[in-house]
Amino acid sequence: MPSLNFMTGEDPLSLDRIRSVLIRLEDTIIFSLIERAQFAHNPRIYQRGAFKELVDLGFEGSWLEWFLKETESFHGASQFHTPRVRVDVRSCDHYLQRKLEDTPASSILTKKPPLSTSSPDEYPFTTDLPEPVLQPLNFPSILYPNKVNANASIFSFYTNAIVPRITRRATLALSAKKRANGITGSEEFEDDGNYGSAATLDVEVLQSISKRVHYGKFVSESKFQENPAAFVPHIQKRNREALEALITKPEVEQRLLRRLGKKATTYAQDIAADGEAPAYNGLSPGKGVNASSKIDVDGVVDLYESYIIPLTKEVEVDYLLNRLEGLSQQEIDRLAQPKSL
Ligand SMILES: O=C(O)C(=O)C[C@]1(C(=O)O)C=C[C@@H](O)C=C1
């Protein structure tokens, strides 16, 4: 999955660099949704207690929750929920030193940042993960300490709204096939029995959406450091609307949605063995549904428009609301002073 590469010594809070990770994550999310869309809805895998086999093991959650727990336990034990690249602490120290010299208002950085052992861009859905087998990596905290975690909302909108939509075609194709085989009524719909494959792909989609949404914290920190004085009064008044207005960039969102429609349309085509793409059936790229398209393109765009972008913005605002916690009045006053040109 795409990540910021902390090894380069470049500014990890450069908005351009953070946005380039967000753009690469679009590809990861689209491709994993395309894979999930090959299977039927399989609602059983989202119902708690629906599998006697798991209840017998003493697990009360759903099949998907069990997959998440098992996957994240292994990843956690093998140090996955820490950065895959070892962070060069020295280069980051240099970066912070430069940042300090550049921005006197960010005087809170005069305190040497603590080293953290949890990854700033991976958020497990499961609590109580095992201790890592290897020593946790130490890396400098780039984000301000916070407990913002949107995974419960991500899990809820993905399972309730997204899965039924993106699997609609596979589900309808399945019911047609079942009818042809004489199966009708409630047995006809939704369940193709591919519980393992569907849940494995759900875990991939959930982890990539979670990573994308929590990158909002890096975006927020970057915007805050660029102009802390603009944010401080609204943070102090806990004015969510004003903070949201400050972080919202409508032109960036519009560009993103246009790009996403084009990408989803392109990736959803089956390129023939001779390398030729199929005709669009009269529809232009980015405009709706092509009969042979591997995914509901509008569904992908709606996922971003209705859920991923709004939730990223919520994470950004929640992060900002916590941004002055623990600072002295003197430190806050310094941040509230406009930067001299
Ligand atoms: O790129 C930014 O500035 C962001 O804050 C990220 C993001 C997004 O979710 O893509 C969210 C809010 C902005 O309005 C634009 C885009």
Side-chain angles (χ1 to χ4, degrees), residues 15 18-19 22 26 212-213 215-216 219-220 223 244 247-254 256 259 304 308-313 316:
L15 201 47
I18 298 165
R19 285 190 179 139
L22 297 185
E26 288 164 11
R212 198 282 175 197
V213 165
Y215 257 88
V219 177
S220 241
K223 290 176 179 171
E244 187 174 330
I247 53 111
T248 297
K249 309 286 170 210
E251 68 295 347
V252 176
E253 293 183 27
Q254 279 150 22
L256 184 162
R259 181 175 62 241
Y304 261 79
I308 292 185
I309 297 177
L311 208 54
T312 305
K313 284 162 51 164
E316 288 188 39

mmCIF file of all heavy atoms in Angstrom, residues 15 18-19 22 26 212-213 215-216 219-220 223 244 247-254 256 259 304 308-313 316, ligand 1:
data_model
loop_
_atom_site.group_PDB
_atom_site.id
_atom_site.type_symbol
_atom_site.label_atom_id
_atom_site.label_comp_id
_atom_site.label_asym_id
_atom_site.label_seq_id
_atom_site.Cartn_x
_atom_site.Cartn_y
_atom_site.Cartn_z
ATOM 1 N N LEU A 15 2.567 19.380 1.637
ATOM 2 C CA LEU A 15 1.202 19.053 1.210
ATOM 3 C C LEU A 15 1.210 18.332 -0.137
ATOM 4 O O LEU A 15 0.420 17.413 -0.370
ATOM 5 C CB LEU A 15 0.364 20.343 1.151
ATOM 6 C CG LEU A 15 -1.153 20.202 1.224
ATOM 7 C CD1 LEU A 15 -1.592 19.273 2.334
ATOM 8 C CD2 LEU A 15 -1.800 21.576 1.387
ATOM 9 N N ILE A 18 2.072 14.711 0.522
ATOM 10 C CA ILE A 18 0.953 13.990 1.163
ATOM 11 C C ILE A 18 -0.143 13.730 0.135
ATOM 12 O O ILE A 18 -0.687 12.630 0.044
ATOM 13 C CB ILE A 18 0.396 14.808 2.352
ATOM 14 C CG1 ILE A 18 1.476 15.004 3.421
ATOM 15 C CG2 ILE A 18 -0.824 14.116 2.953
ATOM 16 C CD1 ILE A 18 1.145 16.067 4.445
ATOM 17 N N ARG A 19 -0.430 14.752 -0.686
ATOM 18 C CA ARG A 19 -1.491 14.555 -1.698
ATOM 19 C C ARG A 19 -1.093 13.495 -2.711
ATOM 20 O O ARG A 19 -1.951 12.771 -3.228
ATOM 21 C CB ARG A 19 -1.813 15.886 -2.387
ATOM 22 C CG ARG A 19 -2.637 16.804 -1.497
ATOM 23 C CD ARG A 19 -3.158 18.003 -2.246
ATOM 24 N NE ARG A 19 -3.967 18.857 -1.391
ATOM 25 C CZ ARG A 19 -3.922 20.182 -1.406
ATOM 26 N NH1 ARG A 19 -3.101 20.809 -2.234
ATOM 27 N NH2 ARG A 19 -4.704 20.878 -0.608
ATOM 28 N N LEU A 22 -2.153 10.324 -1.304
ATOM 29 C CA LEU A 22 -3.618 10.180 -1.415
ATOM 30 C C LEU A 22 -4.007 9.746 -2.832
ATOM 31 O O LEU A 22 -4.901 8.921 -3.022
ATOM 32 C CB LEU A 22 -4.329 11.495 -1.065
ATOM 33 C CG LEU A 22 -4.163 12.015 0.373
ATOM 34 C CD1 LEU A 22 -5.029 13.259 0.586
ATOM 35 C CD2 LEU A 22 -4.558 10.950 1.391
ATOM 36 N N GLU A 26 -5.782 6.082 -4.168
ATOM 37 C CA GLU A 26 -7.011 5.934 -4.985
ATOM 38 C C GLU A 26 -6.916 4.643 -5.790
ATOM 39 O O GLU A 26 -7.882 3.888 -5.897
ATOM 40 C CB GLU A 26 -7.148 7.115 -5.966
ATOM 41 C CG GLU A 26 -7.522 8.423 -5.307
ATOM 42 C CD GLU A 26 -7.260 9.622 -6.231
ATOM 43 O OE1 GLU A 26 -6.982 9.444 -7.435
ATOM 44 O OE2 GLU A 26 -7.329 10.749 -5.718
ATOM 45 N N ARG A 212 -6.201 5.939 4.071
ATOM 46 C CA ARG A 212 -6.503 7.160 3.310
ATOM 47 C C ARG A 212 -7.145 8.208 4.220
ATOM 48 O O ARG A 212 -6.754 9.363 4.232
ATOM 49 C CB ARG A 212 -7.458 6.774 2.184
ATOM 50 C CG ARG A 212 -7.582 7.733 1.061
ATOM 51 C CD ARG A 212 -8.441 8.910 1.385
ATOM 52 N NE ARG A 212 -8.416 9.861 0.290
ATOM 53 C CZ ARG A 212 -8.793 11.099 0.387
ATOM 54 N NH1 ARG A 212 -9.194 11.595 1.531
ATOM 55 N NH2 ARG A 212 -8.746 11.895 -0.642
ATOM 56 N N VAL A 213 -8.153 7.779 4.984
ATOM 57 C CA VAL A 213 -8.889 8.727 5.825
ATOM 58 C C VAL A 213 -7.970 9.303 6.914
ATOM 59 O O VAL A 213 -7.987 10.509 7.180
ATOM 60 C CB VAL A 213 -10.132 8.030 6.435
ATOM 61 C CG1 VAL A 213 -10.713 8.843 7.580
ATOM 62 C CG2 VAL A 213 -11.186 7.791 5.357
ATOM 63 N N TYR A 215 -4.825 9.728 6.768
ATOM 64 C CA TYR A 215 -3.838 10.668 6.224
ATOM 65 C C TYR A 215 -4.307 12.105 6.397
ATOM 66 O O TYR A 215 -3.522 13.042 6.297
ATOM 67 C CB TYR A 215 -3.528 10.368 4.746
ATOM 68 C CG TYR A 215 -2.207 9.664 4.602
ATOM 69 C CD1 TYR A 215 -2.124 8.282 4.669
ATOM 70 C CD2 TYR A 215 -1.023 10.387 4.453
ATOM 71 C CE1 TYR A 215 -0.918 7.636 4.588
ATOM 72 C CE2 TYR A 215 0.187 9.744 4.370
ATOM 73 C CZ TYR A 215 0.240 8.373 4.444
ATOM 74 O OH TYR A 215 1.450 7.747 4.378
ATOM 75 N N GLY A 216 -5.609 12.255 6.655
ATOM 76 C CA GLY A 216 -6.134 13.589 6.975
ATOM 77 C C GLY A 216 -5.346 14.250 8.094
ATOM 78 O O GLY A 216 -5.230 15.481 8.152
ATOM 79 N N VAL A 219 -2.399 15.927 6.562
ATOM 80 C CA VAL A 219 -2.858 17.116 5.835
ATOM 81 C C VAL A 219 -3.104 18.251 6.830
ATOM 82 O O VAL A 219 -2.678 19.391 6.636
ATOM 83 C CB VAL A 219 -4.169 16.805 5.063
ATOM 84 C CG1 VAL A 219 -4.685 18.045 4.368
ATOM 85 C CG2 VAL A 219 -3.972 15.685 4.063
ATOM 86 N N SER A 220 -3.774 17.916 7.911
ATOM 87 C CA SER A 220 -4.120 18.913 8.926
ATOM 88 C C SER A 220 -2.876 19.528 9.578
ATOM 89 O O SER A 220 -2.793 20.731 9.764
ATOM 90 C CB SER A 220 -4.906 18.211 10.034
ATOM 91 O OG SER A 220 -6.163 18.740 10.162
ATOM 92 N N LYS A 223 -1.273 21.898 7.177
ATOM 93 C CA LYS A 223 -1.989 23.175 7.048
ATOM 94 C C LYS A 223 -1.821 24.007 8.316
ATOM 95 O O LYS A 223 -1.680 25.225 8.260
ATOM 96 C CB LYS A 223 -3.480 22.910 6.767
ATOM 97 C CG LYS A 223 -3.733 22.343 5.378
ATOM 98 C CD LYS A 223 -5.204 22.007 5.158
ATOM 99 C CE LYS A 223 -5.415 21.455 3.746
ATOM 100 N NZ LYS A 223 -6.760 20.902 3.526
ATOM 101 N N GLU A 244 -13.507 23.605 9.541
ATOM 102 C CA GLU A 244 -13.793 22.879 8.294
ATOM 103 C C GLU A 244 -13.649 23.815 7.096
ATOM 104 O O GLU A 244 -13.103 23.432 6.060
ATOM 105 C CB GLU A 244 -15.193 22.269 8.342
ATOM 106 C CG GLU A 244 -15.421 21.386 7.134
ATOM 107 C CD GLU A 244 -16.735 20.627 7.160
ATOM 108 O OE1 GLU A 244 -17.233 20.298 8.249
ATOM 109 O OE2 GLU A 244 -17.252 20.374 6.050
ATOM 110 N N ILE A 247 -9.969 24.195 6.210
ATOM 111 C CA ILE A 247 -9.249 23.062 5.578
ATOM 112 C C ILE A 247 -9.869 22.634 4.244
ATOM 113 O O ILE A 247 -9.283 21.841 3.512
ATOM 114 C CB ILE A 247 -9.165 21.822 6.525
ATOM 115 C CG1 ILE A 247 -10.539 21.416 7.049
ATOM 116 C CG2 ILE A 247 -8.218 22.075 7.679
ATOM 117 C CD1 ILE A 247 -11.048 20.134 6.540
ATOM 118 N N THR A 248 -11.049 23.137 3.925
ATOM 119 C CA THR A 248 -11.733 22.677 2.704
ATOM 120 C C THR A 248 -11.187 23.367 1.460
ATOM 121 O O THR A 248 -11.038 24.587 1.436
ATOM 122 C CB THR A 248 -13.256 22.913 2.832
ATOM 123 O OG1 THR A 248 -13.733 22.117 3.916
ATOM 124 C CG2 THR A 248 -13.982 22.512 1.553
ATOM 125 N N LYS A 249 -10.884 22.578 0.455
ATOM 126 C CA LYS A 249 -10.377 23.101 -0.831
ATOM 127 C C LYS A 249 -11.263 22.528 -1.936
ATOM 128 O O LYS A 249 -10.973 21.439 -2.479
ATOM 129 C CB LYS A 249 -8.918 22.649 -1.071
ATOM 130 C CG LYS A 249 -7.967 22.917 0.081
ATOM 131 C CD LYS A 249 -7.610 24.376 0.191
ATOM 132 C CE LYS A 249 -6.872 24.667 1.486
ATOM 133 N NZ LYS A 249 -7.042 25.966 2.035
ATOM 134 N N PRO A 250 -12.365 23.233 -2.270
ATOM 135 C CA PRO A 250 -13.326 22.667 -3.230
ATOM 136 C C PRO A 250 -12.691 22.276 -4.557
ATOM 137 O O PRO A 250 -13.039 21.233 -5.139
ATOM 138 C CB PRO A 250 -14.349 23.787 -3.429
ATOM 139 C CG PRO A 250 -14.190 24.677 -2.243
ATOM 140 C CD PRO A 250 -12.762 24.555 -1.801
ATOM 141 N N GLU A 251 -11.707 23.068 -5.037
ATOM 142 C CA GLU A 251 -11.132 22.742 -6.359
ATOM 143 C C GLU A 251 -10.348 21.431 -6.289
ATOM 144 O O GLU A 251 -10.354 20.657 -7.253
ATOM 145 C CB GLU A 251 -10.299 23.913 -6.912
ATOM 146 C CG GLU A 251 -9.001 24.280 -6.235
ATOM 147 C CD GLU A 251 -9.115 24.809 -4.788
ATOM 148 O OE1 GLU A 251 -10.217 25.140 -4.331
ATOM 149 O OE2 GLU A 251 -8.068 24.865 -4.113
ATOM 150 N N VAL A 252 -9.726 21.156 -5.117
ATOM 151 C CA VAL A 252 -8.988 19.882 -4.975
ATOM 152 C C VAL A 252 -9.987 18.717 -4.995
ATOM 153 O O VAL A 252 -9.763 17.691 -5.634
ATOM 154 C CB VAL A 252 -8.167 19.866 -3.655
ATOM 155 C CG1 VAL A 252 -7.474 18.526 -3.442
ATOM 156 C CG2 VAL A 252 -7.145 20.995 -3.640
ATOM 157 N N GLU A 253 -11.106 18.894 -4.317
ATOM 158 C CA GLU A 253 -12.120 17.830 -4.278
ATOM 159 C C GLU A 253 -12.693 17.574 -5.672
ATOM 160 O O GLU A 253 -12.876 16.422 -6.073
ATOM 161 C CB GLU A 253 -13.262 18.214 -3.326
ATOM 162 C CG GLU A 253 -12.816 18.270 -1.874
ATOM 163 C CD GLU A 253 -13.962 18.580 -0.903
ATOM 164 O OE1 GLU A 253 -15.124 18.267 -1.221
ATOM 165 O OE2 GLU A 253 -13.679 19.150 0.172
ATOM 166 N N GLN A 254 -12.985 18.662 -6.410
ATOM 167 C CA GLN A 254 -13.566 18.468 -7.751
ATOM 168 C C GLN A 254 -12.596 17.750 -8.685
ATOM 169 O O GLN A 254 -12.966 16.847 -9.429
ATOM 170 C CB GLN A 254 -13.987 19.816 -8.350
ATOM 171 C CG GLN A 254 -15.346 20.273 -7.827
ATOM 172 C CD GLN A 254 -15.474 21.775 -7.780
ATOM 173 O OE1 GLN A 254 -14.737 22.477 -8.492
ATOM 174 N NE2 GLN A 254 -16.374 22.286 -6.957
ATOM 175 N N LEU A 256 -10.248 15.763 -7.785
ATOM 176 C CA LEU A 256 -10.153 14.370 -7.324
ATOM 177 C C LEU A 256 -11.306 13.530 -7.896
ATOM 178 O O LEU A 256 -11.097 12.440 -8.420
ATOM 179 C CB LEU A 256 -10.207 14.360 -5.793
ATOM 180 C CG LEU A 256 -10.022 13.028 -5.057
ATOM 181 C CD1 LEU A 256 -9.659 13.312 -3.601
ATOM 182 C CD2 LEU A 256 -11.213 12.120 -5.092
ATOM 183 N N ARG A 259 -10.892 12.887 -11.582
ATOM 184 C CA ARG A 259 -9.805 11.920 -11.822
ATOM 185 C C ARG A 259 -10.267 10.500 -11.454
ATOM 186 O O ARG A 259 -10.014 9.544 -12.171
ATOM 187 C CB ARG A 259 -8.606 12.329 -10.955
ATOM 188 C CG ARG A 259 -7.391 11.450 -11.112
ATOM 189 C CD ARG A 259 -6.225 12.001 -10.309
ATOM 190 N NE ARG A 259 -6.498 12.055 -8.875
ATOM 191 C CZ ARG A 259 -6.509 13.158 -8.141
ATOM 192 N NH1 ARG A 259 -6.228 14.333 -8.665
ATOM 193 N NH2 ARG A 259 -6.787 13.117 -6.839
ATOM 194 N N TYR A 304 -16.303 8.085 -2.558
ATOM 195 C CA TYR A 304 -15.418 9.190 -2.184
ATOM 196 C C TYR A 304 -16.218 10.438 -1.805
ATOM 197 O O TYR A 304 -15.933 11.085 -0.805
ATOM 198 C CB TYR A 304 -14.468 9.516 -3.346
ATOM 199 C CG TYR A 304 -13.099 8.884 -3.167
ATOM 200 C CD1 TYR A 304 -12.891 7.545 -3.451
ATOM 201 C CD2 TYR A 304 -12.016 9.625 -2.703
ATOM 202 C CE1 TYR A 304 -11.644 6.953 -3.292
ATOM 203 C CE2 TYR A 304 -10.762 9.050 -2.537
ATOM 204 C CZ TYR A 304 -10.583 7.712 -2.833
ATOM 205 O OH TYR A 304 -9.342 7.151 -2.648
ATOM 206 N N ILE A 308 -15.689 9.035 1.920
ATOM 207 C CA ILE A 308 -14.246 9.131 2.200
ATOM 208 C C ILE A 308 -13.813 10.586 2.400
ATOM 209 O O ILE A 308 -13.123 10.903 3.386
ATOM 210 C CB ILE A 308 -13.423 8.436 1.087
ATOM 211 C CG1 ILE A 308 -13.685 6.926 1.151
ATOM 212 C CG2 ILE A 308 -11.937 8.743 1.237
ATOM 213 C CD1 ILE A 308 -12.861 6.088 0.207
ATOM 214 N N ILE A 309 -14.227 11.475 1.505
ATOM 215 C CA ILE A 309 -13.794 12.879 1.673
ATOM 216 C C ILE A 309 -14.419 13.492 2.946
ATOM 217 O O ILE A 309 -13.687 14.078 3.761
ATOM 218 C CB ILE A 309 -14.092 13.725 0.412
ATOM 219 C CG1 ILE A 309 -13.285 13.190 -0.780
ATOM 220 C CG2 ILE A 309 -13.769 15.205 0.662
ATOM 221 C CD1 ILE A 309 -13.561 13.895 -2.101
ATOM 222 N N PRO A 310 -15.740 13.348 3.155
ATOM 223 C CA PRO A 310 -16.300 13.923 4.394
ATOM 224 C C PRO A 310 -15.627 13.380 5.658
ATOM 225 O O PRO A 310 -15.366 14.126 6.606
ATOM 226 C CB PRO A 310 -17.778 13.523 4.350
ATOM 227 C CG PRO A 310 -18.075 13.320 2.893
ATOM 228 C CD PRO A 310 -16.808 12.810 2.274
ATOM 229 N N LEU A 311 -15.327 12.079 5.664
ATOM 230 C CA LEU A 311 -14.709 11.505 6.867
ATOM 231 C C LEU A 311 -13.264 11.990 7.028
ATOM 232 O O LEU A 311 -12.793 12.209 8.152
ATOM 233 C CB LEU A 311 -14.774 9.977 6.776
ATOM 234 C CG LEU A 311 -14.806 9.243 8.103
ATOM 235 C CD1 LEU A 311 -15.924 9.742 8.999
ATOM 236 C CD2 LEU A 311 -14.981 7.738 7.875
ATOM 237 N N THR A 312 -12.559 12.147 5.913
ATOM 238 C CA THR A 312 -11.192 12.685 5.989
ATOM 239 C C THR A 312 -11.248 14.091 6.598
ATOM 240 O O THR A 312 -10.414 14.456 7.441
ATOM 241 C CB THR A 312 -10.554 12.751 4.578
ATOM 242 O OG1 THR A 312 -10.605 11.460 3.982
ATOM 243 C CG2 THR A 312 -9.109 13.229 4.643
ATOM 244 N N LYS A 313 -12.247 14.863 6.189
ATOM 245 C CA LYS A 313 -12.372 16.218 6.726
ATOM 246 C C LYS A 313 -12.710 16.190 8.218
ATOM 247 O O LYS A 313 -12.207 16.992 8.994
ATOM 248 C CB LYS A 313 -13.418 17.008 5.927
ATOM 249 C CG LYS A 313 -12.827 17.437 4.594
ATOM 250 C CD LYS A 313 -13.763 17.849 3.514
ATOM 251 C CE LYS A 313 -14.807 18.839 3.734
ATOM 252 N NZ LYS A 313 -15.359 19.368 2.455
ATOM 253 N N GLU A 316 -9.572 15.529 9.963
ATOM 254 C CA GLU A 316 -8.749 16.750 9.972
ATOM 255 C C GLU A 316 -9.220 17.696 11.077
ATOM 256 O O GLU A 316 -8.417 18.243 11.838
ATOM 257 C CB GLU A 316 -8.823 17.463 8.608
ATOM 258 C CG GLU A 316 -8.078 16.735 7.509
ATOM 259 C CD GLU A 316 -7.985 17.536 6.205
ATOM 260 O OE1 GLU A 316 -7.799 18.762 6.265
ATOM 261 O OE2 GLU A 316 -8.097 16.930 5.123
HETATM 262 O O1 LIG B 1 -5.963 17.864 -0.035
HETATM 263 C C1 LIG B 1 -6.428 18.462 0.938
HETATM 264 O O2 LIG B 1 -6.162 19.645 1.192
HETATM 265 C C2 LIG B 1 -7.304 17.760 1.872
HETATM 266 O O3 LIG B 1 -7.662 18.301 2.899
HETATM 267 C C3 LIG B 1 -7.812 16.397 1.540
HETATM 268 C C4 LIG B 1 -9.223 16.452 0.953
HETATM 269 C C5 LIG B 1 -9.581 15.001 0.549
HETATM 270 O O4 LIG B 1 -10.187 14.305 1.354
HETATM 271 O O5 LIG B 1 -9.194 14.608 -0.556
HETATM 272 C C6 LIG B 1 -10.164 16.927 1.989
HETATM 273 C C7 LIG B 1 -10.537 18.239 2.048
HETATM 274 C C8 LIG B 1 -10.234 19.219 1.004
HETATM 275 O O6 LIG B 1 -11.375 19.949 0.667
HETATM 276 C C9 LIG B 1 -9.624 18.615 -0.179
HETATM 277 C C10 LIG B 1 -9.241 17.331 -0.244
#
